[in-house]
Every structure is written in structure tokens, then in C-alpha cells.
Amino acid sequence: MLKIFAAMCLGVAAGWLTRRLPHPRRVAGKAVTGAILILMILLGAEVGGNDLVLRHFASIGLTALLLGAGAVGGVLLAAKALWRYSFRKVAPKTPEPGAATGETSSGGARFSLVIVGTFALGIVLGICTPAARWTASWPLALWALYLLMLAVGITIGSDTATLRSVVRQPGRSLLVPLATLLGSWAGVSLVWGLLQLAGGRPMLWSDAMAVGSGQGYYSLSGVLLAELRGPEIGTIGLLANITREMLTVVGAAWMAKRFSPLGPICSGGATTMDVSLPGIIRYCGPQYLALAVLQGVIADLSVPFMVPFFAGLAS
């Protein structure tokens, strides 16, 4: 986590030093897009090359998909309520879709389709080639993440208004990670109850809560659940949180429009300080950078505590 912060801080410094030059910011914008596509294809290769995921996908994939979607639905409703009763009157103006990056709304939709296609291509590569083993032996995803954060930092550092907003976060900002956690729990609890009533795959409520506590941090939550609750729950946790991350990355524009700028921030959970951060800046505005980073940091810190807590209740 500290290295990720260091990469973004280095980018901020570079962006500030070159803030009067147009070219570094344009190059950084292209680097952000490239890094996101690299991360999506690597994520797909990880899924496609994971024998455990593939073996269990037919039987538990639907459960994972619904739990991931339920968590997103819960946090979006929580974000809408928090915006209405606490943030709306004091929040900075949100730009029109694409205003922060010069995109049109149709361009943003095309980019979302490109992300989905890239992820699907990664799955195919993971199934048909040794791509998953290559990515496991080489730290490609980590370097792509560093590139992403460096480029995001450059775009931020070149905007002095954004830098001022980072250090002016009000105390009410702490309500955002709280709403995210409560919304996640409410969403997965509702889906779990409906699945049990409908005769779906048997699952303990505490396991569903542990999955929801992953907050998009699919790698850590999947590993923790696999060790504490077995491969089946671990696979559900992995797929559910991948679903949450993908829905946030692809649907950021729609979430910001329908559920306020807090929508993609709450939906992103632990990913708002890395993968989903460019979408938040793009569709909510750079003035929400500090809030997104705060959300990501608190979510990252909560996952290693909340997932084992609920897994312990199941044990």
C-alpha cells in the first residue's frame, strides 16, 4: 500500500512541476487508459487460469454474481441516502460526464465496452495459454498498477485546485466508508435471504457477510476465505468481489449520474485508491480525489479484520 501511495505522490510532484506544460498531462491520460486495460486483461487471465474458479464456476458462479451485485446495490442506496441528507448542500459541483477528460458520454460508454472485452479476452488467454502462470511469475499487474497511480498523480498534480481539495476534507467524509460497509452488509444480507428462500445453494449468513466485507478487494478476501472457510466460500468471495470491481469500473458514469458522486466511490470500496480511481475522477470530478482515497484506505484496512471476524462466526 505504501508503494502505491508513493507512486501517486511521485506523480503528483511531477505533475505540479510540469503543470504549465500541456504534453505531460495528455501523455498521462493515455497512460491511465493503457494501464487500466493491462490490469483488466491480467485480471481476466488470473480468473481463466484458476482451476479452482473454473471447476466451481458452474455451481457457485450465480451465487457469487448475485452477492457481488447485491453489495453494489446496497452501497448505491446508502450513497444516495448519504448524499441527500449530508453531502448535497456542501458538495462541490460535479462536472458533466467526460468534462474532466474531454470525453463525450458515448466515448465513455465505448471505453466501458472495451474494458469488458479486454477482461473477456484475458479469461480466454488464461484458459487457452499459460498466461496465468506468466503473470504469477512476473509482477506485471503490480507494475501496471504503479504506472496507473503515477499517471493519475500527474493529472492531479497539474491541477492546483485538486491539490487544495485534498487537504480540506470535512469530518463528514468519514461517513462515506461507514455507509459503504453498512450498505455492503445490507445488500448481501438481502440477497442471501432471497437465495435461501428460493432454495438456492446453502450458505451461512455469516459467510455472506464475510464475502460482502471484501469490498472489492478480491485477492485478499478470496485468499482469507479460502483458508478460513474452505475453497468453495473462497471462490465465492473471489468472484463476488471481482464482480463488484467490474461493475464499478464499467458503471461508474451511470452510478455518478443516478446515485450522486458518492455512488462510484462507495461501490468501489477498497478499489477507489487504484483501479476505480480514474473513473471516479473522470465522472465525478478531481475534487472527489481525496474522498476516494480516504474511502480506499479505510476499506483496505478493514478487510483483514472484518472478513476473518465473520468467517470466525461461521466456524
Side-chain angles (χ1 to χ4, degrees), residues 17-30:
L17 292 173
T18 59
R19 62 191 182 277
R20 292 185 174 87
L21 303 176
H23 299 294
R25 189 170 187 177
R26 284 202 296 265
V27 172
K30 294 179 180 179

Side-chain angles (χ1 to χ4, degrees), residues 75-88 91-92 94 169 172-173 175-177 179-180 248 252 255-269 272 280 284 288 291-292 295:
V75 298
L76 288 178
L77 293 177
K80 184 72 170 181
L82 184 61
W83 175 265
R84 179 176 181 181
Y85 294 108
S86 183
F87 274 81
R88 182 169 57 182
T94 304
Q169 286 300 295
R172 73 180 69 223
S173 298
L175 294 175
V176 174
T180 299
T248 302
M255 292 176 183
K257 181 178 180 180
R258 297 292 184 182
F259 295 94
S260 82
L262 300 184
I265 295 175
C266 291
S267 179
T272 58
I280 292 170
C284 301
Y288 287 94
L291 187 58
Q295 161 64 45

Side-chain angles (χ1 to χ4, degrees), residues 144-160:
L145 183 58
Y146 288 154
L147 173 62
L148 174 63
M149 299 313 297
L150 178 67
V152 168
I154 291 174
T155 62
I156 293 166
S158 59
D159 186 346
T160 56

